[in-house]
Amino acid sequence: DDALYKQFGEKEGLTKIVDDMYDNVLSDPRTAPYFDNAPVKRIKQKLVEQICVLLDGPCVYTGRPMRRTHEGQNIDRAAFNALVEDLQAAMDKNGVPFHAQNKLLAKLAPMYREVQDRE
Ligand code: HEM
């Protein structure tokens, strides 16, 4: 069911959370350099779709595969953890219940395997 999606405020709430997350990511010295020249508007749209799917919301992900999108970017554990912290701050700011936050984080954690790339 879509109870979790509802706890994120559905499409409107999720869009606000992703906007706030990217404000954090772009002002965080640990993550900002990765996004020089990146198409932030597109990334935000695709990320809303993807998180919506993870929350069992009524969405379809239309972006590129995670591994291909992130390969060659030197994303390591520190960068990944920093981005997750920036997401947590955005969820806090928007009043997402702690229990609901943890459910999303548990689904994102295994995605490290697909975005990490030290080559
Ligand atoms: C679970 C964690 C992550 C998820 C779910 C995620 C998701 C996404 C999505 C959906 C896109 C857009 C794909 C498309 O254009 O079709 C994207 C692009 C991108 N992501 Fe991530 N990402 C994650 C972690 C990270 C991390 C840790 C970094 C760096 C600190 C990062 C940097 C980027 C950059 C720079 C792009 C733009 C690539 C390009 O278009 O050239 N991502 N990500």
Side-chain angles (χ1 to χ4, degrees):
D1 65 62
D2 63 356
L4 187 57
Y5 180 62
K6 289 205 165 109
Q7 288 184 293
F8 278 75
E10 305 186 43
K11 188 78 166 215
E12 199 187 337
L14 187 53
T15 301
K16 177 72 164 52
I17 289 164
V18 169
D19 274 345
D20 288 342
M21 172 194 176
Y22 264 95
D23 286 349
N24 296 340
V25 163
L26 297 179
S27 60
D28 182 339
R30 301 171 299 174
T31 49
Y34 288 93
F35 293 87
D36 281 351
N37 305 312
V40 171
K41 193 174 168 218
R42 176 198 162 92
I43 298 170
K44 287 202 285 196
Q45 285 167 350
K46 301 304 180 192
L47 197 56
V48 167
E49 291 175 359
Q50 194 181 45
I51 294 177
C52 177
V53 171
L54 292 174
L55 298 175
D56 296 320
C59 307
V60 176
Y61 177 62
T62 63
R64 292 177 291 151
M66 285 294 95
R67 197 176 294 276
R68 184 161 313 158
T69 299
H70 296 93
E71 73 190 351
Q73 295 196 43
N74 287 301
I75 296 172
D76 58 12
R77 178 57 80 177
F80 183 85
N81 289 348
L83 182 132
V84 169
E85 280 177 36
D86 295 336
L87 169 61
Q88 282 177 302
M91 293 191 293
D92 279 339
K93 186 180 172 191
N94 288 279
V96 177
F98 188 61
H99 177 72
Q101 294 190 22
N102 282 341
K103 283 196 168 164
L104 175 59
L105 295 175
K107 293 180 189 214
L108 290 176
M111 293 177 76
Y112 177 65
R113 282 196 300 276
E114 294 168 68
V115 306
Q116 66 98 19
D117 188 343
R118 291 162 157 285
E119 260 81 61

